[in-house]
Amino acid sequence: MEHIVIIGNGISGITAARHIRKLSDKRITIISDETDYFFSRTALMYVYMGHMRWKDIEPYEPHFWQQNNIDLLRARVTDVHPDSKKLTLSDGSSFSYDTLILATGSVTNTFGWPGLDLEGVQGLVTKQDLEELEKHAPDAEACPRAVIVGGGLIGVELAEMLRTREIEVTFLVREGAFWNNVLPDREAGMISRHIQSHHVDLRLNTNLKEILGDEKGRVCGVLTEDGEEISCKLVGITTGVRPNIQFLQNSPVHTDKGILVNRFLETGIPGIYAIGDCAQQREPIGDRPAVEAVWYTGRIMGETVARTICGQRTPYSPGNWFNSAKFFDIEYQTYGWVSSKRKRREHEAHFHWIHPDDDKCITIAYHVDTKLFLGINTFGIRMRHQVIDRWLTEGKDLPYVVTHLKDANFDPEFYDQYENEILSAYNAEFKTQLKPAKKNWHRIFFNTK
Amino acid sequence: MDTKDQSMSLAGQPPKALGTGQKFATTLGLSGLLILLLAVFNVDFPNKVLWLSVSLAAISAGIIWFSVQAYTGKHPGIKNDGVWFKSISGRGLWAWMLGIVLTGFYVILYFYPQFLGLRQGEDNTGIIALFDPLSRLLSGNPASQWFVYGTLYTIAILAFGVKFILKYRHNRYEKLRTYSVMFFQTGFAFLIPEFMARLNGDLPYYDLKNIWPLNYYMFEQYRVNAFIDAGNIGLAMLIFGVLSIFVITPVLTYKYGKRWYCSWVCGCGGLAETAGDPFRHLSDKRMVAWKIERWVVHSVVVFVTLMTTAVIYSYLGNDSSKYWLTRDVFLIGVGVLLTLVFGWAMIFRRNQLKKDAQYGAIGYFIIIIALIGFHYLSGNGQVFLFSSGTLRKTYAFLIGSIFSGVIGTGFYPIFGNRVWCRFGCPMAAILGFQQRLFSRFRITTNGGQCISCGNCSTYCEMGIDVRAYAQKGENIVRSSCVGCGICSAVCPRGVLKLENGPLEGRINSREVLLGNDVDLMDLVNKQ
């Protein structure tokens, strides 16, 4: 029987395994040196914050794997030998496969600062990182202050985590506002203010120069490029992630930033596929980056490769882009493309609305000539994926979107709704007199009137 | 995973100590409880009105002050920091001590009320005497252990209700339903029955929102007689009781799901959602717990149906010339009603029931055979092989006291706050049956936005593995869901929404490709 070996038990590898099992009775082995069982990486923060125990972030009970006849192997793969279809494990033993799926995910990206190897300098990607954090920053007594380097999603999560243990946080961000390389400026500004309201010492336009250590090799502070020294017991490196591909350096698998794959997630070596964060599309799809380090795309790739392996060769064709995050108390959802100032294309214009409380806003991107709906960012307001996705696919225009926002609202019942205010703001800005459409179940669920 | 993973702390503990204000608030609340405890030990307070007022005020003020300290200085939002690290909410020493105290209280309340000072035919002593003035003010009668319990229960719902509202002050759904349970507890469960007793002494105690079968003694002979003897008002209440279960309940459950009752009206739910809220994450989410739940709660339904039928049967006559509702008419009526419900479910909802259809069929046939048994094996006050009194007493003891009180509430800090509602309540099971099969209510999963984090499952007080559905993009349509809305509140990605929508497409059991393009989705769904 064909033996499928999957390296990596994150969302991509696990999704692939589950779908292969649904479609076939091939032998499946998942190898991981991180944990015994699949866990939700995006939920690591909640364990440190005391919202959940470790077992609560494992989506499947331990008996699930046996029941579904999926073998789990706790080991580290150090080398891949496609000629003999064998893997070398860190204990020196070798392990055979017929089909190999590389789903090794990401590692923390660093920029070669001096002092990276000091005790107390770490990222937040793996379970081991979480254990390190518990060791270095268990409470405010052991760690009165932490410095976080890099203003992205992991950075803000780490800041929120540390604040729950009353640890002071200095947050060094290279840009002029938090995450404004992705978010439009006004949104980035709102989130920056929200982060500061949680008593985070947010330093914008600030770069790290060097990490300082004491005589025991422990971190004791950082030096910024402005020459300021900030003392701290923990340095969180959250300047993004990069594909975890070091184990392939001696193998013939083609790599660049990540493992190079075609649209079918094939590496070019027969029987070897790569999915998730570690994969790099040889030709990027649409506006998508070649390496997509996102939960949802990992899941889609897992589903897709399972179909290919089970006999229905299927290209990776993600639908409309979507993503979400939470910045302390403010939830963020995005559908389609809403570009930051830096990445904004000529034809892309934005309609923006912000609530006076400074904790809710939306930005709708549209084509400046045709008014075609390009994407939407919402903060503090939940949107219905199904509806927005359909608007993007069907190519609705901006007036349609702003008049039908009630169909797309996904906030809990009895929440204040802002669609009328948003439309008033739109009418004022565009000198129109549009009227809001009432929420309609049939339009929402069945796309009928 | 083993227990060492419960807290990953190696070198130290995160902050969880109480602030100064919270310490004072705790002291104030405990001093109020101390007065009650002294009364239990027969300390004779000279001015009962004063001391009772001081005690109840101190308890309420302590809880509310504590909550203000805990939440108002922080941003509105989810407040679960350190929940699993704290002893009281993380099954630590304090949790076990609280559990033992509460359990002990229930044992005394149900089985040894004399220790609380209840005296038959003479003046009460102890804590019950302390409550006499309040009881006389409301109903004109001296207090009983149930009055003491009802008062404390109401105070718990009100004071912890304020705490819950402060905790979820960003969420209007949570606030509104908490106002609602606070209102129904104070008005319907506490004040109105007392006033009714004052206005019309013949009426039995009747909490109008307490519906059969939760109110398992609703149709007992002494109550039915009392209702009828009390004239038109009594008859109206009896009719209301029957309409509640057969008309009002199905209509509201169809429109809104069982949440209209379980988390907006019910007193058991009210206590669970307010005083029990800090323990909601302790419910067992394992598959095995769900299996046990289904067997136990449906057995209770069968039990209560048989018990009630037997009780009513036992006091009906055989002579149709005296009254149309004879024993045979009644048994046939019950059988026909059950057959209609069972037949409807089997014919129109068979595809949704799957394996549960077998269990339903087992329950149905047990009842029908028992009904036939009643008819042929009864006589001389015996119903079937037992006397109806024995059945009734067994039910009251096992289910009414031990299950709902001692285990259901006493073990809040160990098993979570909805043990009774989930495993024991026959009302919840009947509403759940309807919610699963014939209701507009569902928790919609928002496309492919789930990140499998597990907050929804962890904080589901009913032990539903919400994540298992959400991560597949499936809606959650579960009979046990009480619609508390917390899964939706704690979700960091806006994935879940409680809503009442069209019946069609409510349960989307096919697995969609979450986020893949449209053509591929069609391809998969066609298979």
Side-chain angles (χ1 to χ4, degrees):
Chain A
M1 199 194 313
E2 184 182 353
H3 184 196
I4 317 272
V5 174
I6 301 170
I7 309 179
N9 69 349
I11 180 65
S12 313
I14 292 298
T15 307
R18 281 182 44 241
H19 283 261
I20 293 168
R21 178 52 70 243
K22 275 188 170 188
L23 299 170
S24 76
D25 57 359
K26 296 175 196 290
R27 184 178 161 207
I28 303 172
T29 303
I30 302 174
I31 305 178
S32 166
D33 77 327
E34 184 185 15
T35 54
D36 291 336
Y37 301 110
F38 169 54
F39 70 96
S40 173
R41 194 170 302 285
T42 47
L44 278 176
M45 62 186 293
Y46 298 109
V47 176
Y48 180 85
M49 287 159 67
H51 295 207
M52 288 188 273
R53 299 163 296 176
W54 183 263
K55 70 174 178 184
D56 297 323
I57 70 169
E58 292 175 340
Y60 304 96
E61 289 181 53
H63 63 74
F64 175 88
W65 308 105
Q66 207 179 359
Q67 257 169 22
N68 286 281
N69 201 13
I70 295 172
D71 295 336
L72 306 177
L73 176 65
R74 187 85 186 262
R76 182 170 193 82
V77 176
T78 55
D79 220 341
V80 178
H81 309 284
D83 296 340
S84 54
K85 294 207 163 188
K86 279 194 165 57
L87 307 173
T88 305
L89 306 182
S90 57
D91 63 2
S93 64
S94 80
F95 195 81
S96 299
Y97 66 86
D98 298 315
T99 300
L100 182 65
I101 302 176
L102 304 169
T104 50
S106 295
V107 292
T108 299
N109 194 28
T110 58
F111 288 93
W113 299 287
L116 276 174
D117 51 355
L118 290 165
E119 176 98 354
V121 180
Q122 64 164 104
L124 182 67
V125 173
T126 62
K127 187 189 186 207
Q128 286 69 33
D129 288 337
L130 188 68
E131 286 162 349
E132 286 278 296
L133 191 67
E134 280 289 357
K135 200 167 103 193
H136 299 130
D139 52 40
E141 207 172 302
C143 177
R145 178 172 294 276
V147 170
I148 299 172
V149 184
L153 296 180
I154 302 178
V156 72
E157 284 182 3
L158 184 56
E160 182 177 357
M161 291 161 72
L162 294 165
R163 292 301 298 137
T164 65
R165 301 207 184 175
E166 289 162 13
I167 293 169
E168 298 297 333
V169 173
T170 298
F171 196 177
L172 309 185
V173 173
R174 185 180 57 187
E175 294 80 19
F178 170 80
W179 216 33
N180 79 348
N181 51 336
V182 174
L183 299 178
D185 280 353
R186 285 177 289 192
E187 299 177 344
M190 187 184 91
I191 295 301
S192 299
R193 293 188 291 278
H194 183 68
I195 291 171
Q196 285 167 324
S197 78
H198 277 275
H199 309 292
V200 172
D201 174 23
L202 180 64
R203 307 283 186 93
L204 301 172
N205 299 306
T206 307
N207 284 304
L208 175 68
K209 188 172 183 203
E210 187 183 346
I211 302 167
L212 309 170
D214 60 16
E215 65 284 356
K216 288 181 200 147
R218 269 203 52 105
V219 68
C220 66
V222 298
L223 188 65
T224 68
E225 284 190 349
D226 304 334
E228 190 185 352
E229 203 179 306
I230 303 164
S231 72
C232 63
K233 292 284 175 65
L234 179 90
V235 173
I237 304 292
T238 59
T239 44
V241 294
R242 60 185 156 80
N244 176 20
I245 53 172
Q246 235 219 316
F247 69 105
L248 293 172
Q249 59 188 349
N250 299 323
S251 85
V253 177
H254 288 288
T255 60
D256 174 35
K257 277 186 233 147
I259 302 160
L260 290 167
V261 293
N262 63 11
R263 283 292 292 268
F264 295 91
L265 305 166
E266 295 158 344
T267 60
I269 296 175
I272 302 186
Y273 303 82
I275 56 173
D277 287 18
C278 69
Q280 177 182 357
Q281 287 288 324
R282 286 177 190 273
E283 288 166 36
I285 301 163
D287 292 327
R288 291 170 174 262
V291 177
E292 295 178 295
V294 177
W295 180 268
Y296 311 112
T297 50
R299 200 171 55 195
I300 300 170
M301 288 188 227
E303 291 166 353
T304 308
V305 83
R307 299 175 63 77
T308 298
I309 285 172
C310 294
Q312 287 174 288
R313 193 157 174 265
T314 306
Y316 168 56
S317 42
N320 296 305
W321 172 265
F322 66 96
N323 200 1
S324 63
K326 192 175 181 185
F327 308 103
F328 284 90
D329 298 309
I330 299 182
E331 286 173 24
Y332 156 68
Q333 294 186 344
T334 183
Y335 302 94
W337 297 108
V338 181
S339 308
S340 64
K341 195 171 169 188
R342 211 175 65 195
K343 292 179 189 157
R344 197 139 132 192
R345 293 146 302 179
E346 265 173 35
H347 65 264
E348 181 181 335
H350 289 173
F351 165 67
H352 179 76
W353 170 88
I354 184 165
H355 189 272
D357 289 350
D358 203 26
D359 58 358
K360 289 176 262 308
C361 73
I362 74 164
T363 303
I364 304 175
Y366 62 96
H367 194 290
V368 78
D369 302 324
T370 63
K371 296 277 188 293
L372 178 72
F373 173 48
L374 301 175
I376 185 168
N377 280 357
T378 65
F379 292 81
I381 300 173
R382 295 174 173 181
M383 289 281 138
R384 201 182 284 269
H385 190 166
Q386 184 186 7
V387 169
I388 305 258
D389 190 67
R390 187 191 302 139
W391 290 349
L392 287 165
T393 303
E394 292 180 355
K396 298 291 189 206
D397 60 11
L398 180 64
Y400 183 90
V401 170
V402 290
T403 49
H404 288 78
L405 276 177
K406 287 180 189 192
D407 283 356
N409 185 297
F410 202 69
D411 273 336
E413 294 153 300
F414 304 116
Y415 266 42
D416 282 329
Q417 303 202 334
Y418 303 99
E419 290 83 16
N420 291 346
E421 286 172 46
I422 293 167
L423 188 58
S424 300
Y426 177 87
N427 280 333
E429 189 176 325
F430 289 82
K431 313 265 183 302
T432 52
Q433 311 238 302
L434 299 176
K435 297 260 181 304
K438 278 176 72 177
K439 171 177 171 173
N440 183 303
W441 285 121
H442 286 277
R443 255 195 329 257
I444 293 171
F445 287 127
F446 314 118
N447 201 16
T448 56
K449 192 71 177 152
Chain B
M1 279 283 162
D2 51 27
T3 47
K4 79 174 158 50
D5 276 319
Q6 291 209 348
S7 162
M8 294 190 64
S9 283
L10 303 170
Q13 284 292 313
K16 56 187 183 185
L18 299 178
T20 318
Q22 283 177 308
K23 281 178 187 156
F24 279 119
T26 309
T27 311
L28 180 65
L30 288 178
S31 63
L33 277 178
L34 181 68
I35 295 172
L36 297 184
L37 192 66
L38 289 174
V40 169
F41 288 107
N42 277 318
V43 172
D44 192 17
F45 289 99
N47 187 339
K48 291 196 163 58
V49 175
L50 177 72
W51 282 103
L52 180 65
S53 309
V54 168
S55 166
L56 299 184
I59 294 171
S60 313
I63 296 169
I64 293 170
W65 186 12
F66 184 96
S67 319
V68 168
Q69 292 284 330
Y71 302 123
T72 52
K74 295 179 181 158
H75 287 69
I78 295 306
K79 297 279 167 277
N80 289 332
D81 292 343
V83 161
W84 282 104
F85 300 147
K86 291 173 192 158
S87 174
I88 189 81
S89 58
R91 284 199 198 109
L93 182 63
W94 283 111
W96 281 97
M97 282 169 58
L98 180 63
I100 289 166
V101 168
L102 284 174
T103 309
F105 169 73
Y106 275 97
V107 169
I108 292 172
L109 177 74
Y110 283 118
F111 307 117
Y112 306 100
Q114 65 273 26
F115 293 157
L116 299 174
L118 187 72
R119 297 287 176 270
Q120 298 293 344
E122 51 182 303
D123 286 349
N124 290 324
T125 60
I127 190 176
I128 295 181
L130 187 66
F131 280 74
D132 274 341
L134 182 60
S135 180
R136 284 186 199 283
L137 176 74
L138 294 172
S139 69
N141 302 321
S144 65
Q145 79 272 34
W146 301 119
F147 180 79
V148 173
Y149 179 54
T151 310
L152 294 177
Y153 197 101
T154 305
I155 284 179
I157 289 187
L158 291 177
F160 284 108
V162 171
K163 177 172 183 278
F164 189 83
I165 287 166
L166 287 170
K167 184 176 176 185
Y168 291 99
R169 65 185 190 275
H170 61 293
N171 190 318
R172 191 171 294 150
Y173 180 77
E174 300 304 332
K175 285 196 291 187
L176 288 179
R177 75 174 177 78
T178 307
Y179 292 133
S180 176
V181 291
M182 288 161 80
F183 166 77
F184 277 104
Q185 175 61 32
T186 315
F188 281 64
F190 186 59
L191 294 178
I192 292 176
E194 301 294 337
F195 292 155
M196 286 196 317
R198 174 171 284 260
L199 295 174
N200 188 338
D202 300 332
L203 283 174
Y205 173 92
Y206 185 26
D207 171 359
L208 288 165
K209 67 174 175 50
N210 202 3
I211 300 168
W212 184 91
L214 178 57
N215 181 354
Y216 58 87
Y217 43 80
M218 178 67 200
F219 299 111
E220 281 174 27
Q221 186 168 18
Y222 77 93
R223 284 178 66 90
V224 173
N225 287 342
F227 278 129
I228 291 169
D229 292 345
N232 285 340
I233 178 92
L235 197 61
M237 289 166 71
L238 186 61
I239 291 171
F240 179 79
V242 176
L243 288 180
S244 295
I245 186 66
F246 290 114
V247 179
I248 299 172
T249 294
V251 170
L252 290 176
T253 306
Y254 169 71
K255 287 171 83 88
Y256 308 111
K258 78 191 216 187
R259 57 185 172 153
W260 77 267
Y261 191 74
C262 295
S263 55
W264 285 72
V265 172
C266 177
C268 304
L271 191 72
E273 294 291 346
T274 52
D277 173 66
F279 310 113
R280 58 171 57 251
H281 53 286
L282 301 170
S283 58
D284 194 332
K285 279 84 185 178
R286 287 175 304 160
M287 191 71 84
V288 62
W290 185 19
K291 279 190 186 141
I292 295 169
E293 166 196 321
R294 288 193 284 180
W295 275 104
V296 174
V297 78
H298 294 115
S299 302
V300 175
V301 174
V302 171
F303 190 3
V304 77
T305 308
L306 286 178
M307 186 273 287
T308 307
T309 309
V311 164
I312 297 174
Y313 180 89
S314 69
Y315 63 72
L316 289 175
N318 282 320
D319 187 352
S320 62
S321 63
K322 282 184 188 151
Y323 189 58
W324 64 270
L325 188 59
T326 59
R327 291 183 160 188
D328 288 344
V329 171
F330 176 69
L331 284 189
I332 292 166
V334 173
V336 167
L337 184 72
L338 290 171
T339 306
L340 285 175
V341 172
F342 183 72
W344 172 83
M346 282 300 156
I347 293 165
F348 294 105
R349 292 292 186 273
R350 196 178 174 77
N351 51 344
Q352 293 179 23
L353 282 167
K354 295 174 192 156
K355 203 175 168 190
D356 288 340
Q358 295 169 16
Y359 301 138
I362 293 168
Y364 171 76
F365 284 110
I366 289 175
I367 294 179
I368 292 298
I369 287 166
L371 291 179
I372 296 166
F374 286 173
H375 180 75
Y376 287 107
L377 300 172
S378 305
N380 308 327
Q382 293 285 117
V383 177
F384 204 19
L385 300 174
F386 319 96
S387 78
S388 66
T390 310
L391 266 181
R392 189 204 143 296
K393 275 187 197 138
T394 311
Y395 186 89
F397 174 76
L398 282 180
I399 311 296
S401 308
I402 300 283
F403 210 152
S404 75
V406 179
I407 298 174
T409 312
F411 282 97
Y412 267 15
I414 307 302
F415 299 133
N417 57 334
R418 285 274 195 177
V419 170
W420 159 248
C421 311
R422 178 184 180 190
F423 292 95
C425 179
M427 175 83 182
I430 290 174
L431 294 180
F433 174 75
Q434 194 193 333
Q435 169 163 287
R436 180 76 180 73
L437 297 181
F438 192 60
S439 168
R440 292 161 55 88
F441 173 72
R442 88 292 308 274
I443 303 175
T444 302
T445 290
N446 200 12
Q449 287 279 23
C450 178
I451 53 168
S452 303
C453 73
N455 274 296
C456 51
S457 296
T458 302
Y459 288 91
C460 177
E461 55 191 352
M462 294 302 282
I464 299 171
D465 190 0
V466 184
R467 166 175 55 192
Y469 302 86
Q471 66 189 356
K472 288 192 280 188
E474 282 179 24
N475 289 349
I476 296 98
V477 182
R478 275 279 290 269
S479 57
S480 61
C481 174
V482 292
C484 71
I486 295 295
C487 57
S488 165
V490 297
C491 176
R493 295 291 191 271
V495 175
L496 304 165
K497 179 173 164 67
L498 284 65
E499 57 188 358
N500 314 305
L503 286 181
E504 190 190 338
R506 190 172 73 118
I507 307 171
N508 47 352
S509 60
R510 62 191 183 179
E511 188 161 346
V512 296
L513 275 169
L514 305 162
N516 258 320
D517 73 1
V518 185
D519 296 341
L520 202 55
M521 268 175 61
D522 286 347
L523 186 74
V524 171
N525 292 335
K526 270 185 214 133
Q527 289 171 353

